[in-house]
Amino acid sequence: MTYLSTRGQSPVVDAQSALRAGAAPDGGLYLPLSLPEFSPKDFDDTPELPRLAARLLAPFFAGTDLADPLPQICGSAFNFPVPRVQLGETGPQVLELFHGPTGAFKDFGARFLFRCFDAIARTDDPITVLAATSGDTGGAVGCAAEGSRQAGAVILFPKGRISPFQEHQLCCWNDPVRALRVDGDFDACQVLVKAAFADRDLSARHGLTSANSISIGRLLPQMSYWAHASLEIWRETGETPGLIIPTGNLGNAFAAVLARDCGLPIGPIHLATNANATLSDWHITGRYAARPSIATLANAMDVGAPSNFERLNLHDPEAIHRVHRVEDHDIQTRIRQTFEDEGYIACPHTATALEAYHRLPDAQREARPWLVGATADPYKFAETVEAVIGETPPLPPALAEVKQRPARVSDIPADLDALAEALNLQPA
Ligand SMILES: *Cc1c(COP(=O)(O)O)cnc(C)c1O
């Protein structure tokens, strides 16, 4: 399988090079040049998610050093449950993607990506993931990198601008993970990371790479759970489920599009966004205009320029059935309603998708089973949820474990020399 840049100005590469590079040299995103063709029968003997993932992903990594270790990578990356929860007798099924060690669906992509890095890094060809983060991604990356033998991670975050729990979740991981608290805002962190990548010497010495949502190593594994859940529903009912996916950078939803185009039994794909209107406006007008992001209760989806749009647009802009924009007020109402009606506690992101489900015309809702993506454990957004339902969501065991860990962090000023010095201290 070869991968082409969305901007078409870079050579085609294999999966291993695409994974190593993150973005293409022309600034585009790597996209598979063709897709494998599966039929549901091909997965009859892979009922568990890790084995299904290994089969589905095999063609994407064929011919590279990742082909052999792929089954082990899937087995150790996807070692947590992904339950489907039926809401009410006629309601949707919720696909809970948040039972990984950091309580958000980012664990799927981050764990897979890091295990790939660990499999391809060499002592004379190191890999260091450098990530500026304000939220879920950094925690998932840190956790995924802990204990990895060949690939390290350095996580930058802005001092005093993230919640105490978020900060703890960035600073509690052991070697080879390091957290750097930057004296500056989030933009300053991103500028620093870009400057480090642009410094050829520094970048080559540490094998710097990114772990953001444009990496195919995060995108592709996200096909697996949509494939798995849809196959189960298809076997149970003979119908293809519609998906409703809480969306920010469009990684999760674009992975579902790819899974459907590989032959998985998936029906219409709907996006749910928060008040950020870039995607809903695009879907109505056909014109795409990125805009500054605005802050909402579903803050992991506060995105004004969804990075995977470039992929979707080139691959098939018609793949998305509808985009539902859900304002904060409706997020709160949906969290309350779901709790009152079903006793189910949804995080604000999940609530956007539940609200989108309830906005579907009756005939559409009744025409097929619906699968709603649940992307974060509600405990991670305890303040928002508690303000609406009057109680604190239960602390899940994985997050209790995170809270108990000791934290360690280094403070650095927002300049490249300081970052370079910190990188040099990085254990090889
Ligand atoms: C990242 C994230 C999303 C958005 O996923 P994309 O792939 O960026 O669309 C939704 N919910 C939560 C909790 C997230 O962390």
Side-chain angles (χ1 to χ4, degrees):
M1 173 89 59
T2 50
Y3 295 78
L4 181 69
S5 165
T6 47
R7 308 218 175 140
Q9 302 298 313
S10 303
V12 296
V13 297
D14 67 11
Q16 191 166 336
S17 308
L19 205 111
R20 192 76 169 73
D26 62 5
L29 284 66
Y30 284 116
L31 198 58
L33 209 51
S34 61
L35 291 179
E37 282 175 39
F38 287 103
S39 84
K41 287 196 307 295
D42 295 326
F43 302 98
D44 280 352
D45 61 342
T46 57
E48 314 88 3
L49 176 65
R51 288 179 58 213
L52 178 151
R55 178 155 304 162
L56 175 62
L57 297 174
F60 292 89
F61 294 93
T64 72
D65 292 347
L66 288 163
D68 281 348
L70 188 64
Q72 282 123 280
I73 290 172
C74 292
S76 85
F78 309 144
N79 65 347
F80 49 87
V82 191
R84 274 187 290 140
V85 178
Q86 171 73 45
L87 292 190
E89 267 178 31
T90 57
Q93 294 185 24
V94 176
L95 185 64
E96 293 189 342
L97 303 171
F98 55 73
H99 294 282
T102 71
F105 95 99
K106 300 285 193 295
D107 283 325
F108 284 98
R111 288 166 72 79
F112 184 88
L113 176 65
F114 241 90
R115 280 155 180 75
C116 290
F117 280 151
D118 212 25
I120 59 178
R122 301 275 174 269
T123 317
D124 56 352
D125 183 16
I127 292 181
T128 306
V129 167
L130 189 59
T133 178
S134 53
D136 283 342
T137 302
V141 165
C143 174
E146 188 179 73
S148 107
R149 272 162 313 179
Q150 302 292 349
V154 175
I155 299 166
L156 281 68
F157 65 92
K159 182 177 181 176
R161 318 230 175 191
I162 65 176
S163 76
F165 179 76
Q166 276 177 328
E167 177 160 337
H168 182 77
Q169 208 181 31
L170 299 177
C171 301
C172 70
W173 311 109
N174 295 319
D175 286 345
V177 186
R178 299 219 8 238
L180 301 178
R181 186 163 49 201
V182 177
D183 193 4
D185 60 11
F186 181 58
D187 286 341
C189 294
Q190 281 197 307
V191 167
L192 255 187
V193 165
K194 283 205 178 120
F197 285 133
D199 183 327
R200 282 174 169 253
D201 220 42
L202 188 67
S203 182
R205 186 150 18 105
H206 298 285
L208 296 184
T209 189
S210 77
N212 60 22
S213 68
I214 62 169
S215 168
I216 62 151
R218 273 182 57 186
L219 176 72
L220 298 176
Q222 294 173 1
M223 292 194 289
S224 316
Y225 45 79
W226 294 123
H228 185 253
S230 301
L231 274 167
E232 284 191 343
I233 292 175
W234 185 79
R235 287 188 195 116
E236 288 161 14
T237 66
E239 300 195 75
T240 57
L243 309 185
I244 308 182
I245 305 178
T247 295
N249 270 318
L250 253 171
N252 202 2
F254 187 62
V257 169
L258 290 182
R260 186 174 61 188
D261 290 349
C262 289
L264 274 301
I266 293 171
I269 296 173
H270 289 236
L271 310 185
T273 71
N274 57 27
N276 286 278
T278 304
L279 289 171
S280 49
D281 283 358
W282 158 72
H283 207 256
I284 293 165
T285 65
R287 280 190 310 277
Y288 176 85
R291 43 172 88 185
S293 69
I294 54 176
T296 75
L297 294 175
N299 61 23
M301 301 174 2
D302 290 348
V303 176
S307 50
N308 281 292
F309 181 80
E310 210 169 309
R311 282 190 173 118
L312 175 72
N313 199 38
L314 191 68
H315 176 75
D316 179 12
E318 310 275 298
I320 299 302
H321 199 81
R322 252 185 89 175
V323 182
H324 307 260
R325 186 171 87 231
V326 181
E327 308 279 335
D328 275 355
H329 172 264
D330 290 330
I331 290 178
Q332 290 175 310
T333 309
R334 184 50 56 194
I335 292 174
R336 182 180 307 117
Q337 199 77 43
T338 307
F339 184 62
E340 281 171 7
D341 294 350
E342 327 288 355
Y344 187 82
I345 305 179
C347 88
H349 312 82
T350 306
T352 66
L354 288 169
E355 173 63 15
Y357 169 80
H358 284 276
R359 288 183 189 175
L360 295 180
D362 287 349
Q364 227 176 328
R365 270 208 309 261
E366 286 157 15
R368 60 173 69 246
W370 287 89
L371 195 55
V372 168
T375 47
D377 191 294
Y379 182 83
K380 292 192 102 174
F381 299 87
E383 277 165 38
T384 301
V385 172
E386 188 179 341
V388 175
I389 66 169
E391 54 185 85
T392 312
L395 174 64
L399 295 183
E401 210 263 314
V402 166
K403 281 186 139 182
Q404 273 177 5
R405 287 167 158 254
R408 53 193 187 119
V409 60
S410 312
D411 285 286
I412 65 164
D415 73 55
L416 185 59
D417 286 345
L419 176 58
E421 202 177 309
L423 282 169
N424 288 334
L425 295 174
Q426 178 73 0

